[in-house]
Structures are given as structure tokens and as C-alpha cells.
Amino acid sequence: MSDLAELTSPIDNAIVRLENITKRFPGVVANRGVHLRVMAGTFHALIGENGAGKSTLLNILYGRYRPDAGRIFVRDEEITEALESPADAIRRGIGLVSQHYALIPALSVLENIVLGAEPTFPGGALRLGPAAERIAALSEQLGLGDLDLKARADTLSVAAGQKVEILKALYRGAQILLLDEPTATLAPQEAESLFALLHRLVAGGTTVVFVTHKLREVMAHSDRVSVLRAGRNVGDFNTRETNERDLLRRMIGTRGHVPLDIDRTLTGELVVAAPQAPTGPTDSPTPTPVFVPRPPSGSPLLQVEGVTVRNARRAIAVRNASLEVGMGEIVGVAGVDGSGQRELAEAIVGLRRLEAGRVFLAGIELTRMSVRQRQEFGVAYIPEDRQRDGLVLDFSVAENYLLGHETKKSWGGGWLLDPQRMLARAVQMVERYDVRIGFTGVETPAGMLSGGNQQKIIIARALASSLRLLVASQPTRGLDVAASQFVYETLRQARARGLGVLLFSLDLDEIFQLADRIAVMFNGKVVGVVPRAQATPEQIGALMTGATWQQTGEKGKGNQGEMPPGAGPGALP
């Protein structure tokens, strides 16, 4: 099949047709003459690198964006002036589940789901009882477990917010369901439950257009797949007639290696060197490396001892958790969403106060240190929600890259900012990490970038710090295959250079690929720490769900795989 999209499918059964769609943003052409044809009652995957235009295309079909050129047909009816708004799309039976959920923080889960489609009594009073019953039934179908409809949206985790968005679309009776990476934050069991529901919906006549970076999801679940590259459609296929290798080749084409420039290890000391200063008129002396004493021989780099933490609703989210990370080690923390991973990560980096317990780095207690003090001591953080916690979306790429380093003259910071130096460093970062930013360069607002390119800025900023410990929470969420592999290689090189990496991930495949040891959280406790070489998906899955764990007989806290005393499922109050 040629590299150009095959557009010979019959149009009689096409529920959605996009013809020659072009969409421009300042400095960026997101879609370039895209053609897309989706058959009714099918599972259609849309794949491509970060910045390829996938999310933009979904937003055009949902009425959030108006195309600069092109035609849109829904059920063979041409939408002459494009879709006017999301409300217009909803009236036509189109629902969208965004990668970054758009719930109103101050409203409850129930209020967010019914917003815009509120059931009322005669006279206008809200009639929420039947709505709550219907939502509970939908939640049970999805296999999402109990959902607290009274909880405020701003207390939800990223994955819980995605679940609410899915329920919101289904509640409105969407017959064309657009999903932008909804499994990015779901545990394997939750993702499979979602796919089971989607297949039931397709069998009942619903059309699903599904954006994902996980090629195994494409091959396992889709009927057809379209590939975007650099804003263009470069191929439409019946899934059963293609394979992962060919799809990946079409997604990324050919590309040279992007060099990494992160920490290195010298004899007796860990040397943390910032990236080279910009060259030319704005050049400054090479930053002085930070020499970090190693922990005593045989001691871990990070020690978390008996930590208890509350969540945003003041309920205990982490209970008496203990774990260790050694120098030159990646420890993966697995668990279903809501088991306390986010709260534990935030406690370690100083964003959440400890109710009990202590945290040590290289034998120095961090428990009462501020976030800034921990950062200066060598702790860097990749948050799970890049838009809420990692970036200021209205700031430029260069300004976001400076965050956390704004007092450093070598970065262009200090009492007065040095814009020229700041921009030059950001340009280096963009080139090194292959961040797609369009024609306006590093002065482009971060909110204009794709999710994956936003994540690259956060990762680059973290790795450019004076680093000893990297706490990475869902670092590849929303990244395409190539970018995810880049992150994996970055973390492996960090390990090879003597850094400690604490990786929180809902993706078991990711944990198994990267971790030297796997810690499992269940219901707020660390219920097992298992060497990767001895771990199996079945064993880790059992721990994640609170099932009985068959102890391996290994001893040695945090190093050989014993279950911490009193931390088994049976010990939970």
C-alpha cells in the first residue's frame, strides 16, 4: 500500500467523513489536508506521534475548533459551516472523552456528569435521583467500581477524572464516541474492562474513534486504523491486514538519534552537571558541577519509613508505607488507581505533609524540608498531571523550562531575568528532546503544544536539575511510542549513572520493562516488594487487587522481596 491514504472505501456506510481538513494555529499547522472516513458501528483507531494532529482532528469533529479549510459530513449530511460548538456535536450524537479532563473543580461528580443535560421536575428543580441511578448502572457496566458521586471534582485523581468523562459522554447517549487516550492512566484491569464495554457498544451500533499511542491496543481492539504524521494522513488500513512494525514505520518515518545529556558518575562521588550553557554572545562560564557525597556503603539512597499521608479530602491515603531506593536503581511502584501512589509521590517531594513517618536521602532527613530545599538537595519530580501540576500553560516554552531554576544566572534567572540566555537554553532543550513547537519557537505558549511535547519539557527540566533522585509519576502518560522509548532510555541512562529513580506507573508493562524491584501498593499500604527477576504479572496483579500473596521466602527489607511486616492485605483495618 502506498504512503498516501487509501480513500477507496465505500461512502455509503461512512458515519463520519472529513475531507481536506486544514487547521492552523499561530506558528503551527496542526492538520494539513486531512481525509478521514469512519464506518458506522466500527472501532476506528487514530494513531500518530505527539503533535501529529490527532487531538486537533477530534476537537474539530467535536465542535471545539473550526477548520480553516475542508468539509465535514456526519451521517452523509454535510455540516456546511462546520460544527458550531460541542453542544452542536452532542445534539448530533457525538461525544468526546479528552485526554485532559475538563471537569468543573467546585462541582460534584454527579453535577459534572449531568451538566448541560440536567433532569428536572416541572418548574425547573433538579431531579438528580434517577440520574444518579443511571450513572451507577453505567459505572457498573464499565467495571469502574464504586464511584463517589458526591465527591468534588478537584479531589479526583487523573484516572478517576477520565472515568467521569467517559461516564459523562455515555450519559448523553453518544452514538459516535471520540476517545483521546482514555487508557493512558488506567490500570491494566481497568483498561480491559473499558475495552470490553467499548466492544459491547460497537456491537450495539455505536461508532468508536479511539486515539492511542499503544500499538498493542490498536492491534487487539480496532477494526480500522488511520495514521497521521506531521498533520497529514499517511495511511488507512484494515487492522487485520497490517502489523505493529509497519504502523510504527508510518508513524515516525526515519529519524536520527537524539542525544541525551544527563548526570554521570565519577569515582567516589556523584557528579550532577547542568546541560552546556548556550554558545555565542550570551555564553556564560560552564556551571560548576554539584558534588554529592554517596550514602554510607550498603545504605540506600532514599529511605521512606512508616509514612502516613492524607489525601485532599483529609482521609488517610497512605498508611505506614516503607520502601527504599538504591543508587543506580529503578524501583517501580505498581497499583490500581487510588491506592495511594500519587499521595506517596507528593509526600516524598514535599508537596504533601506527612502525618507520620520520615524520609531520608543519602542519610539526611528531608521530612521537614520544603519542596525548594529538597530540589536543591537533589530531588526532581515529574508529576502525573502535566497541565495541572507541571506547567503554566499561558507561559512560553522558555518560561516553563526556567521554572524551578529562576534564581540561577546560568539559566537566565536571578534578580532580573536575562531573556536572551533563557531563550538560548530553551532552544538547546527543544533541539535535544525533539520538542515540536512550530514557527514561533520557544516563545510559543506551552498550552499550544500537544500533550506529549508538554511532557518532554517537564522531563527535560527535571533531568537538567542537580539531580540525585528522580521521582517520576506516570512519565509516559500520553506519549507516543517513540517518545516513550526515549523516556525509557533516559531513565535507564540515569540509573547507569548512579541516580535513584522511583517510578510510579499504572502501566504494568512499563514497570516490568524498567524496574529493578517492584513495590506494590494496595489500599494505601506497600504490600510487597519483589525483585523484577522473580516477579510475574500474576503475582503483581494479585498484590494490586489485595489477593493472597504467596511469599517467596526471601528476606531483607526492601531488597529481596519480603512483604513488609503488618503490610499484607489481611492487616488492613
Side-chain angles (χ1 to χ4, degrees), residues 355-376:
E355 297 291 321
R358 298 188 298 174
V359 178
F360 295 87
L361 186 69
I364 306 299
E365 185 167 3
L366 306 183
T367 309
R368 298 187 183 280
M369 288 188 183
S370 67
V371 174
R372 173 57 62 87
Q373 289 172 324
R374 297 184 200 209
Q375 180 188 29
E376 292 173 349

Side-chain angles (χ1 to χ4, degrees), residues 40-51:
T42 61
F43 199 123
H44 195 116
L46 185 62
I47 63 174
E49 288 191 277
N50 297 120

Side-chain angles (χ1 to χ4, degrees), residues 301-360:
L301 175 67
L302 173 71
Q303 292 174 284
V304 178
E305 297 182 352
V307 164
T308 296
V309 181
R310 295 185 183 274
N311 61 21
R313 290 177 286 178
R314 303 300 301 157
I316 296 294
V318 179
R319 192 187 308 272
N320 194 31
S322 299
L323 56 81
E324 298 173 349
V325 179
M327 294 185 66
E329 180 183 40
I330 299 176
V331 174
V333 182
V336 300
D337 181 57
S339 292
Q341 300 99 312
R342 180 176 66 164
E343 288 81 5
L344 180 58
E346 290 177 348
I348 291 170
V349 301
L351 290 170
R352 198 170 290 272
R353 186 175 67 87
L354 273 61
E355 297 291 321
R358 298 188 298 174
V359 178
F360 295 87

Side-chain angles (χ1 to χ4, degrees), residues 205-463:
T206 299
T207 301
V208 172
V209 181
F210 189 87
V211 168
T212 182
H213 290 126
K214 301 176 182 178
L215 293 181
R216 66 179 183 276
E217 293 181 349
V218 174
M219 300 306 299
H221 300 290
S222 69
D223 302 306
R224 285 181 59 77
V225 53
S226 296
V227 185
L228 296 187
R229 186 169 76 232
R232 300 182 185 276
N233 186 324
V234 294
D236 295 310
F237 310 95
N238 292 319
T239 306
R240 64 179 179 272
E241 297 173 0
T242 188
N243 56 66
E244 291 188 25
R245 182 181 298 273
D246 190 40
L247 292 175
L248 181 60
R249 179 180 65 83
R250 291 173 182 273
M251 281 174 59
I252 66 176
T254 58
R255 177 172 306 144
H257 175 67
V258 180
L260 300 179
D261 181 14
I262 54 177
D263 309 331
R264 64 188 187 275
T265 303
L266 296 182
T267 304
E269 293 168 311
L270 180 64
V271 179
V272 183
Q276 295 179 354
T279 58
T282 61
D283 197 15
S284 67
T286 302
T288 303
V290 179
F291 293 93
V292 178
R294 292 181 181 275
S297 178
S299 298
L301 175 67
L302 173 71
Q303 292 174 284
V304 178
E305 297 182 352
V307 164
T308 296
V309 181
R310 295 185 183 274
N311 61 21
R313 290 177 286 178
R314 303 300 301 157
I316 296 294
V318 179
R319 192 187 308 272
N320 194 31
S322 299
L323 56 81
E324 298 173 349
V325 179
M327 294 185 66
E329 180 183 40
I330 299 176
V331 174
V333 182
V336 300
D337 181 57
S339 292
Q341 300 99 312
R342 180 176 66 164
E343 288 81 5
L344 180 58
E346 290 177 348
I348 291 170
V349 301
L351 290 170
R352 198 170 290 272
R353 186 175 67 87
L354 273 61
E355 297 291 321
R358 298 188 298 174
V359 178
F360 295 87
L361 186 69
I364 306 299
E365 185 167 3
L366 306 183
T367 309
R368 298 187 183 280
M369 288 188 183
S370 67
V371 174
R372 173 57 62 87
Q373 289 172 324
R374 297 184 200 209
Q375 180 188 29
E376 292 173 349
F377 198 67
V379 179
Y381 182 44
I382 300 173
E384 77 170 73
D385 189 333
R386 54 180 161 264
Q387 293 195 345
R388 184 174 64 186
D389 302 322
L391 298 168
V392 180
L393 297 181
D394 291 334
F395 280 16
S396 70
V397 169
E399 290 167 335
N400 273 284
Y401 187 52
L402 179 67
L403 290 177
H405 305 281
E406 60 272 8
T407 61
K408 300 177 182 177
K409 291 185 177 180
S410 63
W411 283 72
W415 287 106
L416 292 174
L417 294 182
D418 182 344
Q420 193 173 9
R421 185 177 301 280
M422 180 179 71
L423 294 174
R425 288 201 67 133
V427 167
Q428 282 194 326
M429 178 274 295
V430 164
E431 293 174 351
R432 182 176 302 143
Y433 287 86
D434 192 28
V435 182
R436 312 293 176 82
I437 55 176
F439 301 119
T440 54
V442 296
E443 295 183 274
T444 303
M448 298 296 293
L449 304 186
S450 69
N453 284 303
Q454 292 172 352
Q455 187 78 334
K456 287 181 181 180
I457 296 170
I458 294 171
I459 292 171
R461 186 177 63 202
L463 292 176

